[in-house]
Protein backbone atom coordinates (compact mmCIF):
# COMPACT_ATOMS: atom_id res chain seq x y z
CA UNK A 1 0.00 0.00 0.00
CA UNK A 2 0.79 3.70 0.06
CA UNK A 3 2.51 3.48 -3.35
CA UNK A 4 5.11 0.96 -2.25
CA UNK A 5 4.23 -1.32 -5.16
CA UNK A 6 5.21 1.47 -7.57
CA UNK A 7 8.70 1.91 -6.17
CA UNK A 8 11.73 0.30 -7.81
CA UNK A 9 13.09 -2.77 -6.12
CA UNK A 10 16.23 -4.83 -6.08
CA UNK A 11 15.69 -8.44 -5.18
CA UNK A 12 18.58 -10.19 -3.47
CA UNK A 13 19.23 -13.49 -1.78
CA UNK A 14 21.63 -13.17 1.13
CA UNK A 15 23.74 -15.59 3.15
CA UNK A 16 24.68 -17.47 -0.01
CA UNK A 17 27.80 -18.71 1.75
CA UNK A 18 25.59 -20.83 4.03
CA UNK A 19 24.19 -23.14 1.33
CA UNK A 20 25.63 -25.53 -1.24
CA UNK A 21 25.94 -24.44 -4.86
CA UNK A 22 23.09 -26.79 -5.88
CA UNK A 23 20.83 -25.46 -3.12
CA UNK A 24 21.74 -21.90 -4.10
CA UNK A 25 20.68 -22.53 -7.70
CA UNK A 26 17.33 -23.91 -6.50
CA UNK A 27 16.75 -20.97 -4.18
CA UNK A 28 17.65 -18.42 -6.87
CA UNK A 29 15.25 -20.08 -9.34
CA UNK A 30 12.45 -20.08 -6.76
CA UNK A 31 13.06 -16.44 -5.83
CA UNK A 32 13.15 -15.41 -9.48
CA UNK A 33 9.81 -17.11 -10.05
CA UNK A 34 8.27 -15.48 -6.96
CA UNK A 35 9.70 -12.00 -7.57
CA UNK A 36 9.37 -11.89 -11.34
CA UNK A 37 12.94 -10.70 -11.78
CA UNK A 38 16.40 -12.20 -11.45
CA UNK A 39 17.67 -11.84 -7.88
CA UNK A 40 21.18 -10.85 -6.98
CA UNK A 41 23.11 -13.28 -4.78
CA UNK A 42 25.10 -11.82 -1.91
CA UNK A 43 27.12 -12.83 1.15
CA UNK A 44 28.10 -10.29 3.76
CA UNK A 45 30.46 -12.81 5.33
CA UNK A 46 32.53 -13.46 2.19
CA UNK A 47 31.75 -10.25 0.32
CA UNK A 48 30.58 -12.23 -2.71
CA UNK A 49 28.00 -10.28 -4.70
CA UNK A 50 28.41 -7.07 -2.70
CA UNK A 51 29.88 -5.07 -5.62
CA UNK A 52 27.01 -6.18 -7.86
CA UNK A 53 24.42 -5.10 -5.28
CA UNK A 54 26.13 -1.73 -4.87
CA UNK A 55 26.17 -1.23 -8.66
CA UNK A 56 22.47 -2.09 -8.87
CA UNK A 57 21.67 0.38 -6.09
CA UNK A 58 23.74 3.10 -7.74
CA UNK A 59 21.97 2.48 -11.05
CA UNK A 60 18.55 2.78 -9.38
CA UNK A 61 19.60 6.02 -7.69
CA UNK A 62 20.79 7.46 -11.03
CA UNK A 63 17.49 6.51 -12.66
CA UNK A 64 15.49 8.03 -9.80
CA UNK A 65 17.47 11.26 -10.08
CA UNK A 66 16.96 11.34 -13.84
CA UNK A 67 20.69 11.08 -14.42
CA UNK A 68 20.47 7.82 -16.31
CA UNK A 69 17.26 6.70 -17.90
CA UNK A 70 18.78 3.94 -20.03
CA UNK A 71 16.73 0.73 -19.78
CA UNK A 72 19.87 -1.31 -19.00
CA UNK A 73 20.20 0.55 -15.71
CA UNK A 74 16.86 -0.81 -14.49
CA UNK A 75 17.16 -3.84 -12.24
CA UNK A 76 14.76 -5.86 -14.37
CA UNK A 77 17.37 -6.00 -17.13
CA UNK A 78 20.49 -5.27 -15.15
CA UNK A 79 23.28 -7.83 -15.11
CA UNK A 80 26.53 -7.59 -13.14
Amino acid sequence: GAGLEDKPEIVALSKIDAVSKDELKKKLRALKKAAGSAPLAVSAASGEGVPEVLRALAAEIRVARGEDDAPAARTSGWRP
Side-chain angles (χ1 to χ4, degrees):
L4 185 60
E5 66 276 2
D6 297 326
K7 295 190 183 282
E9 68 177 11
I10 295 173
V11 178
L13 180 64
S14 65
K15 298 192 176 198
I16 62 169
D17 57 292
V19 296
S20 69
K21 294 293 181 188
D22 288 338
E23 187 67 20
L24 177 59
K25 288 178 186 178
K26 289 178 190 175
K27 290 184 180 297
L28 286 170
R29 275 195 303 269
L31 185 53
K32 181 178 180 178
K33 184 177 179 181
S37 63
L40 299 172
V42 64
S43 167
S46 70
E48 184 178 356
V50 172
E52 291 83 359
V53 170
L54 292 174
R55 280 190 216 108
L57 289 168
E60 283 298 334
I61 291 167
R62 284 192 303 274
V63 168
R65 290 179 177 170
E67 297 170 3
D68 183 359
D69 49 13
R74 303 295 303 172
T75 57
S76 60
W78 184 83
R79 296 239 190 265

Coordinates of all heavy atoms in Angstrom, one line a residue:
G1 N 0.8 -1.2 0.0 CA 0.0 0.0 0.0 C 0.8 1.3 0.0 O 2.1 1.2 0.0
A2 N 0.2 2.4 0.0 CA 0.8 3.7 0.1 C 1.8 3.9 -1.1 O 2.8 4.6 -0.9 CB 1.4 3.9 1.4
G3 N 1.6 3.3 -2.2 CA 2.5 3.5 -3.3 C 3.8 2.6 -3.3 O 4.6 2.7 -4.2
L4 N 3.9 1.8 -2.3 CA 5.1 1.0 -2.2 C 5.3 0.1 -3.5 O 6.4 -0.1 -3.9 CB 5.1 0.1 -1.0 CG 6.3 -0.7 -0.7 CD1 7.6 0.2 -0.5 CD2 6.1 -1.5 0.6
E5 N 4.2 -0.4 -4.0 CA 4.2 -1.3 -5.2 C 4.7 -0.6 -6.4 O 5.2 -1.3 -7.4 CB 2.9 -2.0 -5.4 CG 1.8 -1.0 -5.9 CD 1.1 -0.3 -4.7 OE1 1.4 -0.5 -3.6 OE2 0.2 0.5 -5.1
D6 N 4.7 0.7 -6.4 CA 5.2 1.5 -7.6 C 6.7 1.8 -7.5 O 7.2 2.4 -8.4 CB 4.4 2.8 -7.7 CG 2.9 2.5 -8.0 OD1 2.7 1.4 -8.7 OD2 2.1 3.2 -7.5
K7 N 7.3 1.6 -6.4 CA 8.7 1.9 -6.2 C 9.6 0.9 -6.8 O 9.3 -0.3 -6.9 CB 9.0 2.0 -4.7 CG 8.2 3.2 -4.0 CD 8.7 3.5 -2.7 CE 7.9 4.6 -2.0 NZ 8.3 5.9 -2.4
P8 N 10.8 1.3 -7.3 CA 11.7 0.3 -7.8 C 12.2 -0.6 -6.7 O 12.2 -0.3 -5.5 CB 12.9 1.2 -8.3 CG 12.7 2.5 -7.7 CD 11.3 2.6 -7.3
E9 N 12.6 -1.8 -7.1 CA 13.1 -2.8 -6.1 C 14.3 -3.5 -6.7 O 14.4 -3.7 -7.9 CB 12.0 -3.8 -5.7 CG 11.6 -4.7 -6.7 CD 10.6 -5.7 -6.2 OE1 10.0 -5.6 -5.1 OE2 10.3 -6.7 -7.0
I10 N 15.1 -3.9 -5.8 CA 16.2 -4.8 -6.1 C 16.0 -6.1 -5.2 O 15.9 -6.0 -4.0 CB 17.6 -4.2 -5.8 CG1 17.8 -3.0 -6.7 CG2 18.7 -5.2 -5.9 CD1 19.0 -2.1 -6.4
V11 N 15.9 -7.2 -5.9 CA 15.7 -8.4 -5.2 C 17.0 -9.1 -5.0 O 17.8 -9.3 -5.9 CB 14.7 -9.4 -6.0 CG1 14.5 -10.7 -5.3 CG2 13.4 -8.7 -6.2
A12 N 17.3 -9.5 -3.8 CA 18.6 -10.2 -3.5 C 18.4 -11.4 -2.5 O 17.5 -11.3 -1.7 CB 19.6 -9.2 -2.9
L13 N 19.2 -12.3 -2.7 CA 19.2 -13.5 -1.8 C 20.5 -13.4 -1.0 O 21.6 -13.4 -1.6 CB 19.2 -14.8 -2.6 CG 19.2 -16.1 -1.8 CD1 17.9 -16.2 -0.9 CD2 19.3 -17.3 -2.7
S14 N 20.4 -13.3 0.3 CA 21.6 -13.2 1.1 C 22.0 -14.5 1.8 O 21.3 -15.5 1.7 CB 21.4 -12.1 2.2 OG 20.4 -12.5 3.1
K15 N 23.2 -14.4 2.5 CA 23.7 -15.6 3.2 C 24.0 -16.8 2.2 O 23.8 -17.9 2.5 CB 22.8 -16.0 4.3 CG 22.7 -15.0 5.4 CD 22.1 -15.5 6.6 CE 22.0 -14.4 7.6 NZ 21.8 -14.9 9.0
I16 N 24.4 -16.4 1.0 CA 24.7 -17.5 0.0 C 25.8 -18.4 0.4 O 26.0 -19.5 -0.2 CB 24.8 -16.9 -1.4 CG1 26.1 -16.0 -1.5 CG2 23.6 -16.2 -1.9 CD1 26.4 -15.6 -2.9
D17 N 26.7 -17.9 1.3 CA 27.8 -18.7 1.7 C 27.3 -19.9 2.6 O 28.1 -20.8 2.9 CB 28.8 -17.8 2.5 CG 28.1 -17.1 3.7 OD1 27.3 -16.3 3.4 OD2 28.4 -17.5 4.8
A18 N 26.1 -19.8 3.1 CA 25.6 -20.8 4.0 C 24.9 -22.0 3.4 O 24.4 -22.9 4.1 CB 24.6 -20.2 5.0
V19 N 24.8 -22.0 2.0 CA 24.2 -23.1 1.3 C 25.1 -23.7 0.2 O 26.0 -23.0 -0.2 CB 22.8 -22.7 0.7 CG1 21.8 -22.3 1.8 CG2 23.0 -21.6 -0.3
S20 N 24.8 -24.9 -0.2 CA 25.6 -25.5 -1.2 C 25.3 -24.9 -2.6 O 24.3 -24.2 -2.7 CB 25.3 -27.0 -1.3 OG 24.0 -27.2 -1.8
K21 N 26.2 -25.0 -3.5 CA 25.9 -24.4 -4.9 C 24.6 -24.9 -5.5 O 23.9 -24.2 -6.1 CB 27.1 -24.7 -5.8 CG 28.4 -24.1 -5.4 CD 28.3 -22.6 -5.5 CE 29.6 -21.9 -5.1 NZ 29.5 -20.5 -5.0
D22 N 24.3 -26.2 -5.3 CA 23.1 -26.8 -5.9 C 21.9 -26.2 -5.2 O 20.9 -25.8 -5.8 CB 23.1 -28.3 -5.7 CG 24.0 -29.0 -6.7 OD1 24.4 -28.4 -7.7 OD2 24.4 -30.2 -6.4
E23 N 21.9 -26.1 -3.9 CA 20.8 -25.5 -3.1 C 20.7 -24.0 -3.5 O 19.6 -23.5 -3.6 CB 21.1 -25.6 -1.6 CG 19.9 -25.2 -0.8 CD 18.7 -26.1 -0.9 OE1 18.8 -27.2 -1.4 OE2 17.6 -25.6 -0.6
L24 N 21.8 -23.3 -3.7 CA 21.7 -21.9 -4.1 C 21.0 -21.7 -5.4 O 20.2 -20.9 -5.6 CB 23.2 -21.3 -4.2 CG 23.3 -19.9 -4.7 CD1 22.5 -18.9 -3.8 CD2 24.7 -19.5 -4.7
K25 N 21.3 -22.6 -6.4 CA 20.7 -22.5 -7.7 C 19.2 -22.7 -7.6 O 18.4 -22.0 -8.2 CB 21.3 -23.6 -8.6 CG 22.6 -23.3 -9.1 CD 23.1 -24.4 -10.0 CE 24.6 -24.2 -10.4 NZ 25.1 -25.3 -11.2
K26 N 18.8 -23.7 -6.7 CA 17.3 -23.9 -6.5 C 16.7 -22.7 -5.9 O 15.6 -22.3 -6.3 CB 17.1 -25.1 -5.6 CG 17.5 -26.4 -6.2 CD 17.3 -27.6 -5.2 CE 17.9 -28.9 -5.7 NZ 17.8 -29.9 -4.7
K27 N 17.3 -22.1 -4.9 CA 16.8 -21.0 -4.2 C 16.7 -19.8 -5.1 O 15.7 -19.0 -5.1 CB 17.6 -20.7 -2.9 CG 17.4 -21.7 -1.8 CD 18.1 -21.3 -0.6 CE 17.9 -22.4 0.5 NZ 16.6 -22.6 0.9
L28 N 17.7 -19.6 -5.9 CA 17.7 -18.4 -6.9 C 16.5 -18.6 -7.9 O 15.8 -17.6 -8.2 CB 19.0 -18.3 -7.6 CG 20.1 -17.7 -6.7 CD1 21.5 -17.8 -7.4 CD2 19.8 -16.3 -6.3
R29 N 16.3 -19.8 -8.4 CA 15.2 -20.1 -9.3 C 13.9 -19.8 -8.7 O 13.0 -19.2 -9.3 CB 15.3 -21.5 -9.8 CG 16.2 -21.7 -11.0 CD 16.0 -23.1 -11.7 NE 16.1 -24.2 -10.8 CZ 17.2 -24.9 -10.6 NH1 18.3 -24.6 -11.2 NH2 17.2 -25.9 -9.7
A30 N 13.7 -20.3 -7.5 CA 12.4 -20.1 -6.8 C 12.2 -18.6 -6.5 O 11.1 -18.1 -6.7 CB 12.4 -20.9 -5.4
L31 N 13.2 -17.9 -6.1 CA 13.1 -16.4 -5.8 C 12.8 -15.7 -7.1 O 11.9 -14.8 -7.1 CB 14.3 -15.9 -5.1 CG 14.3 -14.4 -4.7 CD1 13.0 -14.2 -3.8 CD2 15.5 -14.1 -3.9
K32 N 13.4 -16.1 -8.2 CA 13.2 -15.4 -9.5 C 11.7 -15.6 -9.9 O 11.0 -14.7 -10.3 CB 14.1 -16.0 -10.6 CG 13.9 -15.3 -11.9 CD 14.8 -15.9 -12.9 CE 14.6 -15.2 -14.3 NZ 15.6 -15.7 -15.3
K33 N 11.2 -16.8 -9.7 CA 9.8 -17.1 -10.1 C 8.9 -16.3 -9.2 O 7.9 -15.7 -9.7 CB 9.5 -18.6 -9.9 CG 8.2 -19.0 -10.3 CD 8.0 -20.5 -10.2 CE 6.6 -20.9 -10.6 NZ 6.4 -22.4 -10.4
A34 N 9.1 -16.2 -7.9 CA 8.3 -15.5 -7.0 C 8.3 -14.0 -7.2 O 7.3 -13.3 -7.1 CB 8.7 -15.8 -5.5
A35 N 9.5 -13.5 -7.5 CA 9.7 -12.0 -7.6 C 9.4 -11.5 -9.0 O 9.2 -10.3 -9.2 CB 11.1 -11.6 -7.2
G36 N 9.6 -12.3 -10.0 CA 9.4 -11.9 -11.3 C 10.6 -11.2 -11.9 O 10.5 -10.6 -13.0
S37 N 11.7 -11.2 -11.2 CA 12.9 -10.7 -11.8 C 14.1 -11.5 -11.2 O 14.0 -12.1 -10.2 CB 13.1 -9.2 -11.4 OG 13.2 -9.0 -10.1
A38 N 15.2 -11.4 -11.9 CA 16.4 -12.2 -11.5 C 17.0 -11.6 -10.2 O 17.3 -10.4 -10.2 CB 17.5 -12.2 -12.6
P39 N 17.1 -12.4 -9.1 CA 17.7 -11.8 -7.9 C 19.2 -11.8 -7.9 O 19.8 -12.5 -8.7 CB 17.2 -12.8 -6.8 CG 17.1 -14.1 -7.6 CD 16.6 -13.7 -9.0
L40 N 19.7 -10.9 -7.2 CA 21.2 -10.8 -7.0 C 21.5 -11.8 -5.8 O 20.7 -11.9 -4.9 CB 21.6 -9.4 -6.7 CG 21.4 -8.4 -7.7 CD1 21.7 -7.0 -7.2 CD2 22.2 -8.7 -9.0
A41 N 22.7 -12.4 -5.9 CA 23.1 -13.3 -4.8 C 24.2 -12.6 -4.0 O 25.2 -12.1 -4.6 CB 23.6 -14.6 -5.4
V42 N 24.1 -12.6 -2.7 CA 25.1 -11.8 -1.9 C 25.4 -12.5 -0.6 O 24.6 -13.2 0.0 CB 24.6 -10.4 -1.6 CG1 23.3 -10.4 -0.8 CG2 25.6 -9.5 -1.0
S43 N 26.7 -12.3 -0.1 CA 27.1 -12.8 1.1 C 27.9 -11.7 1.9 O 28.9 -11.3 1.4 CB 28.0 -14.1 1.0 OG 28.7 -14.3 2.2
A44 N 27.4 -11.3 3.0 CA 28.1 -10.3 3.8 C 29.4 -10.9 4.4 O 30.4 -10.2 4.5 CB 27.2 -9.7 4.9
A45 N 29.3 -12.2 4.7 CA 30.5 -12.8 5.3 C 31.7 -12.9 4.4 O 32.8 -12.6 4.8 CB 30.1 -14.2 5.8
S46 N 31.4 -13.3 3.1 CA 32.5 -13.5 2.2 C 32.7 -12.2 1.3 O 33.7 -12.1 0.6 CB 32.3 -14.7 1.3 OG 31.2 -14.5 0.4
G47 N 31.7 -11.4 1.2 CA 31.7 -10.2 0.3 C 31.3 -10.6 -1.1 O 31.2 -9.7 -1.9
E48 N 31.0 -11.8 -1.4 CA 30.6 -12.2 -2.7 C 29.3 -11.5 -3.1 O 28.3 -11.5 -2.3 CB 30.4 -13.7 -2.8 CG 30.0 -14.2 -4.1 CD 29.9 -15.8 -4.2 OE1 30.1 -16.4 -3.2 OE2 29.5 -16.3 -5.3
G49 N 29.2 -10.9 -4.2 CA 28.0 -10.3 -4.7 C 27.8 -8.9 -4.2 O 26.9 -8.2 -4.7
V50 N 28.6 -8.4 -3.2 CA 28.4 -7.1 -2.7 C 28.6 -6.0 -3.8 O 27.8 -5.1 -3.9 CB 29.3 -6.8 -1.5 CG1 29.3 -5.4 -1.0 CG2 28.8 -7.8 -0.3
P51 N 29.7 -6.1 -4.6 CA 29.9 -5.1 -5.6 C 28.7 -5.0 -6.6 O 28.3 -3.9 -7.0 CB 31.2 -5.5 -6.3 CG 31.9 -6.3 -5.3 CD 30.9 -7.0 -4.5
E52 N 28.1 -6.2 -6.9 CA 27.0 -6.2 -7.9 C 25.8 -5.5 -7.2 O 25.1 -4.8 -7.9 CB 26.7 -7.6 -8.3 CG 27.7 -8.3 -9.1 CD 28.9 -8.8 -8.4 OE1 29.0 -8.8 -7.1 OE2 29.8 -9.4 -9.1
V53 N 25.5 -5.7 -6.0 CA 24.4 -5.1 -5.3 C 24.6 -3.6 -5.2 O 23.7 -2.8 -5.5 CB 24.2 -5.7 -3.9 CG1 23.2 -4.9 -3.1 CG2 23.8 -7.1 -3.9
L54 N 25.8 -3.2 -4.9 CA 26.1 -1.7 -4.9 C 26.0 -1.1 -6.2 O 25.4 0.0 -6.3 CB 27.5 -1.5 -4.3 CG 27.8 -1.9 -2.9 CD1 29.2 -1.7 -2.5 CD2 26.9 -1.0 -2.0
R55 N 26.4 -1.8 -7.3 CA 26.2 -1.2 -8.7 C 24.7 -1.1 -9.0 O 24.3 -0.1 -9.6 CB 26.9 -2.1 -9.7 CG 28.3 -1.9 -9.8 CD 29.0 -2.6 -11.0 NE 30.3 -3.0 -10.6 CZ 30.6 -4.3 -10.4 NH1 29.8 -5.3 -10.5 NH2 31.9 -4.5 -10.0
A56 N 23.9 -2.1 -8.6 CA 22.5 -2.1 -8.9 C 21.8 -0.9 -8.1 O 21.0 -0.2 -8.7 CB 21.8 -3.4 -8.5
L57 N 22.2 -0.7 -6.9 CA 21.7 0.4 -6.1 C 22.0 1.7 -6.7 O 21.2 2.6 -6.8 CB 22.2 0.3 -4.6 CG 21.6 -0.8 -3.8 CD1 22.4 -1.0 -2.5 CD2 20.1 -0.6 -3.5
A58 N 23.3 1.9 -7.1 CA 23.7 3.1 -7.7 C 23.0 3.4 -9.0 O 22.6 4.5 -9.3 CB 25.2 3.1 -8.0
A59 N 22.7 2.3 -9.8 CA 22.0 2.5 -11.1 C 20.6 2.9 -10.8 O 20.0 3.8 -11.4 CB 22.0 1.2 -11.8
E60 N 19.9 2.4 -9.7 CA 18.5 2.8 -9.4 C 18.5 4.2 -8.9 O 17.6 5.0 -9.2 CB 18.0 1.9 -8.3 CG 17.5 0.5 -8.8 CD 16.4 0.6 -9.9 OE1 15.6 1.6 -9.9 OE2 16.3 -0.3 -10.7
I61 N 19.5 4.6 -8.2 CA 19.6 6.0 -7.7 C 19.8 7.0 -8.9 O 19.1 8.0 -9.0 CB 20.7 6.2 -6.7 CG1 20.4 5.4 -5.4 CG2 21.0 7.7 -6.4 CD1 21.5 5.3 -4.4
R62 N 20.6 6.6 -9.8 CA 20.8 7.5 -11.0 C 19.5 7.6 -11.8 O 19.1 8.7 -12.3 CB 21.9 6.9 -11.9 CG 23.3 7.2 -11.4 CD 24.4 6.9 -12.4 NE 24.3 5.5 -12.9 CZ 24.9 4.5 -12.3 NH1 25.6 4.6 -11.3 NH2 24.8 3.3 -12.9
V63 N 18.8 6.5 -12.0 CA 17.5 6.5 -12.7 C 16.5 7.4 -11.9 O 15.8 8.2 -12.5 CB 16.9 5.1 -12.8 CG1 15.5 5.1 -13.3 CG2 17.8 4.3 -13.8
A64 N 16.4 7.2 -10.6 CA 15.5 8.0 -9.8 C 15.8 9.5 -9.9 O 14.9 10.4 -9.9 CB 15.5 7.6 -8.3
R65 N 17.1 9.9 -10.0 CA 17.5 11.3 -10.1 C 17.3 11.8 -11.5 O 17.6 13.0 -11.7 CB 18.9 11.4 -9.6 CG 19.1 11.2 -8.2 CD 20.6 11.4 -7.8 NE 20.8 11.3 -6.4 CZ 21.9 11.2 -5.8 NH1 23.0 11.2 -6.5 NH2 22.0 11.1 -4.5
G66 N 17.1 10.9 -12.4 CA 17.0 11.3 -13.8 C 18.3 11.5 -14.5 O 18.4 12.0 -15.6
E67 N 19.3 11.0 -13.9 CA 20.7 11.1 -14.4 C 21.0 10.0 -15.5 O 21.9 10.1 -16.3 CB 21.7 11.0 -13.3 CG 21.6 12.1 -12.3 CD 22.5 11.8 -11.1 OE1 23.2 10.8 -11.0 OE2 22.4 12.6 -10.1
D68 N 20.2 8.9 -15.4 CA 20.5 7.8 -16.3 C 19.2 7.1 -16.5 O 18.7 6.3 -15.7 CB 21.5 6.9 -15.7 CG 21.9 5.7 -16.6 OD1 21.3 5.6 -17.7 OD2 22.7 4.9 -16.2
D69 N 18.5 7.3 -17.7 CA 17.3 6.7 -17.9 C 17.4 5.6 -18.9 O 16.4 5.2 -19.6 CB 16.2 7.7 -18.3 CG 16.6 8.7 -19.4 OD1 17.7 8.4 -20.0 OD2 15.9 9.7 -19.6
A70 N 18.6 5.1 -19.1 CA 18.8 3.9 -20.0 C 18.1 2.7 -19.5 O 18.3 2.4 -18.3 CB 20.3 3.7 -20.2
P71 N 17.4 1.9 -20.3 CA 16.7 0.7 -19.8 C 17.7 -0.3 -19.1 O 17.3 -1.0 -18.2 CB 16.1 0.1 -21.0 CG 16.0 1.2 -22.0 CD 17.1 2.2 -21.7
A72 N 18.9 -0.3 -19.6 CA 19.9 -1.3 -19.0 C 20.2 -1.0 -17.5 O 20.6 -1.9 -16.8 CB 21.2 -1.3 -19.8
A73 N 19.9 0.2 -17.1 CA 20.2 0.5 -15.7 C 19.1 0.0 -14.8 O 19.3 0.0 -13.6 CB 20.3 2.1 -15.6
R74 N 18.0 -0.3 -15.3 CA 16.9 -0.8 -14.5 C 17.2 -2.2 -14.0 O 17.8 -3.0 -14.7 CB 15.6 -0.8 -15.3 CG 15.1 0.5 -15.9 CD 14.8 1.5 -14.8 NE 13.8 1.1 -14.0 CZ 13.4 1.7 -12.9 NH1 13.9 2.8 -12.5 NH2 12.5 1.2 -12.1
T75 N 16.8 -2.5 -12.8 CA 17.2 -3.8 -12.2 C 16.5 -5.0 -13.0 O 17.0 -6.1 -13.0 CB 16.8 -3.9 -10.8 OG1 15.4 -3.7 -10.6 CG2 17.6 -3.0 -9.9
S76 N 15.4 -4.8 -13.7 CA 14.8 -5.9 -14.4 C 15.6 -6.4 -15.5 O 15.5 -7.5 -15.9 CB 13.4 -5.4 -14.9 OG 13.6 -4.3 -15.8
G77 N 16.5 -5.6 -16.1 CA 17.4 -6.0 -17.1 C 18.8 -5.9 -16.8 O 19.7 -6.2 -17.6
W78 N 19.1 -5.5 -15.6 CA 20.5 -5.3 -15.1 C 21.2 -6.6 -14.9 O 20.7 -7.5 -14.4 CB 20.5 -4.4 -13.9 CG 21.8 -4.1 -13.4 CD1 22.6 -3.0 -13.9 CD2 22.6 -4.7 -12.4 NE1 23.8 -3.0 -13.2 CE2 23.8 -4.0 -12.3 CE3 22.4 -5.8 -11.7 CZ2 24.8 -4.4 -11.5 CZ3 23.4 -6.2 -10.8 CH2 24.6 -5.5 -10.7
R79 N 22.4 -6.7 -15.3 CA 23.3 -7.8 -15.1 C 24.6 -7.3 -14.6 O 25.2 -6.4 -15.2 CB 23.5 -8.6 -16.4 CG 22.2 -9.2 -16.9 CD 22.4 -10.7 -17.0 NE 21.3 -11.3 -17.7 CZ 20.2 -11.8 -17.1 NH1 20.1 -11.7 -15.8 NH2 19.3 -12.4 -17.8
P80 N 25.2 -8.0 -13.6 CA 26.5 -7.6 -13.1 C 27.6 -7.8 -14.2 O 27.5 -8.6 -15.1 CB 26.7 -8.4 -11.9 CG 25.8 -9.5 -12.0 CD 24.7 -9.1 -12.9

